[in-house]
Amino acid sequence: MEQKNSKIYILIVVGMVSALGPFVTDFYLPAFPNLVTYFDTTASQVQLSLTFSMVGLAVGQIFLGPVSDKFGRKRPLVISMFFFVFSSVACVFSPGIEIFILARFIQGFSGAGGIVISKSIATDLYGGKDLAKFFSMLACVQGLAPICAPVLGGLLLLVTNWRGIFGLLALIGVLLLLVLFRFHDSLPGESRLQGKLKERFVYYKEVLRHRKFMYFVLIQVLGMGVMFSYIASSPFVFQEHYHLSPVMYSVCFACNAVAIMLGSLSVVRFRSNEHALRVGVCGFMFLCCCTGVALCMELSVIIIEIVFFLFLFFLGIILPTSTTLALNLERQNSGTASAILGFLTFLGGGIVSPLTGMGNILYSTSAIMFVCCVLILVCTWRVLKMVRV
């Protein structure tokens, strides 16, 4: 009989490895202005390092999803963590912005293992309402990452420079490697992909043709597009436009991460995932308009923070429900489905992030958020109509 880890251990481990995504993107945000000065470059070039890390997160998931279906969940996770440590060290010793951007791509690619495989582990072990509950708790655990990451980054900048941030990322990778050695694979040998690995990639075409699945994926992608536009623009909005210190910016960012976590926790109180998604999208659209008006009118930083908090609360409702509804439709291809979900999510984020730096950052961020919200509303209306039919 195969050994199994406890539910608490699974939640903690899955939460930790899946939180690599937020740590890769959020941890060094307070150092953005410092990176511009250190590398003698532009804000768009520094934002490009965020873009490349998200492209790495996207491409890595497309590759590592099927690999985990073939070789199990543990081995790809351990190898991914090794390369995460290596790339973090490479960031520390980058002599120029070009090498730094390349190292960030590798860091994103290796961090993708935790994101895609964590969803597959959850799908291996749970289903239906249990899966929805697990994703809700997982979103809560993941919420700790964006809370801690920018705060720690801002505090670290008081005693060190940006290199210290990436040094700590390398240390986190080492600790995760040690924790993963106790993990018992959630995908038994008889359930793994038989035959050649390349055959697994054929399933991408099959999953991409599943219309309901792809509508839920698009909702997730557009929601994360809003998230990444906020992530990319927030250091410049709060620190340069409103002149907040790195520590105060980190506090605002942490409060907004709490909003996402509270929204995720509220999902279990709805009568169904479809109902939660409907409420989340309606509130999201309304608060998007409020946020855009507040940014364009350059209202006080307190008002900006309040509308961002409420706005991201409803995003917290949308993300776990769209994930659950999508993966419940493709349980037999969970690794491939998770890879598609993750790939498109971070690819979309990678495309959106540098767009916020074009022109007036307050106007461009408002425009991107509004377009994404309208498309989310359309996709939600279409897919829920299909579900009722």
Side-chain angles (χ1 to χ4, degrees):
M1 184 177 178
E2 292 187 15
Q3 288 182 299
K4 294 183 179 180
N5 297 115
S6 68
K7 289 184 178 180
I8 296 296
Y9 176 86
I10 290 293
L11 179 61
I12 293 173
V13 170
V14 169
M16 289 174 67
V17 296
S18 63
L20 279 181
F23 258 88
V24 166
T25 55
D26 299 351
F27 200 30
Y28 79 132
L29 291 180
F32 263 31
N34 293 346
L35 285 166
V36 171
T37 303
Y38 182 88
F39 287 119
D40 190 23
T41 187
T42 63
S44 292
Q45 281 277 65
V46 173
Q47 286 178 323
L48 198 60
S49 70
L50 179 62
T51 296
F52 267 70
S53 68
M54 287 190 287
V55 171
L57 284 164
V59 175
Q61 290 180 75
I62 283 291
F63 176 74
L64 293 170
V67 166
S68 73
D69 285 337
K70 170 69 175 176
F71 299 105
R73 313 307 185 193
K74 181 174 180 178
R75 198 188 314 176
L77 264 179
V78 171
I79 295 173
S80 296
M81 287 307 102
F82 173 80
F83 280 99
F84 182 82
V85 173
F86 168 78
S87 58
S88 298
V89 173
C91 286
V92 172
F93 295 103
S94 297
I97 188 65
E98 294 82 8
I99 301 299
F100 179 76
I101 289 174
L102 176 61
R104 286 285 292 162
F105 172 80
I106 299 172
Q107 190 179 45
F109 188 96
S110 55
I115 297 170
V116 67
I117 297 174
S118 66
K119 292 186 179 71
S120 298
I121 291 172
T123 310
D124 291 339
L125 300 174
Y126 305 101
K129 288 187 176 181
D130 287 336
L131 182 62
K133 185 177 180 181
F134 186 85
F135 273 129
S136 178
M137 292 189 294
L138 180 59
C140 182
V141 173
Q142 288 175 303
L144 294 175
I147 290 172
C148 296
V151 173
L152 287 174
L155 293 175
L156 276 175
L157 289 178
L158 297 177
V159 296
T160 184
N161 56 23
W162 63 269
R163 294 179 192 271
I165 291 175
F166 287 95
L168 186 56
L169 275 177
L171 179 60
I172 290 170
V174 171
L175 293 175
L176 283 174
L177 264 175
L178 296 176
V179 170
L180 284 172
F181 283 124
R182 290 191 62 247
F183 174 66
H184 299 294
D185 211 308
S186 62
L187 188 66
E190 64 272 14
S191 300
R192 296 177 188 178
L193 173 68
Q194 304 301 314
K196 296 180 180 180
L197 180 61
K198 66 179 181 181
E199 296 173 359
R200 190 64 186 176
F201 289 92
V202 176
Y203 285 97
Y204 278 121
K205 188 176 181 180
E206 179 184 327
V207 175
L208 287 169
R209 286 178 172 176
H210 192 159
R211 287 183 64 195
K212 281 196 284 189
F213 171 80
M214 289 306 300
Y215 269 122
F216 287 125
V217 169
L218 285 174
I219 292 168
Q220 178 86 187
V221 169
L222 293 165
M224 291 300 288
V226 173
M227 166 71 85
F228 285 122
S229 65
Y230 160 73
I231 288 173
S233 64
S234 61
F236 301 100
V237 171
F238 285 106
Q239 291 183 250
E240 295 195 349
H241 187 80
Y242 286 102
H243 308 294
L244 297 186
S245 68
V247 173
M248 284 304 300
Y249 159 70
S250 299
V251 171
C252 289
F253 196 94
C255 288
N256 294 333
V258 170
I260 296 175
M261 188 166 60
L262 291 175
S264 299
L265 284 173
S266 70
V267 169
V268 296
R269 298 184 177 276
F270 291 91
R271 65 174 180 266
S272 66
N273 288 314
E274 290 81 4
H275 181 224
L277 182 62
R278 189 180 296 108
V279 172
V281 169
C282 291
F284 196 53
M285 188 71 232
F286 174 72
L287 267 301
C288 170
C289 296
C290 294
T291 303
V293 169
L295 287 172
C296 293
M297 293 181 65
E298 299 185 31
L299 301 180
S300 72
V301 68
I302 294 175
I303 294 176
I304 295 293
E305 174 55 25
I306 290 172
V307 292
F308 264 132
F309 183 91
L310 297 174
F311 183 49
L312 294 171
F313 172 84
F314 285 100
L315 179 62
I317 296 176
I318 294 171
L319 296 181
T321 51
S322 57
T323 300
T324 303
L325 289 166
L327 294 182
N328 264 332
L329 294 171
E330 287 290 344
R331 297 184 61 80
Q332 71 278 17
N333 298 309
S334 62
T336 304
S338 296
I340 290 173
L341 183 64
F343 170 76
L344 293 176
T345 295
F346 284 97
L347 182 63
I351 293 171
V352 164
S353 295
L355 297 180
T356 61
M358 298 176 63
N360 186 308
I361 201 164
L362 300 179
Y363 296 160
S364 59
T365 300
S366 300
I368 291 168
M369 288 181 172
F370 181 75
V371 170
C372 287
C373 283
V374 170
L375 292 175
I376 286 173
L377 190 64
V378 172
C379 289
T380 302
W381 177 75
R382 292 293 299 274
V383 73
L384 291 183
K385 185 177 180 181
M386 292 169 66
V387 170
R388 285 195 297 270
V389 171

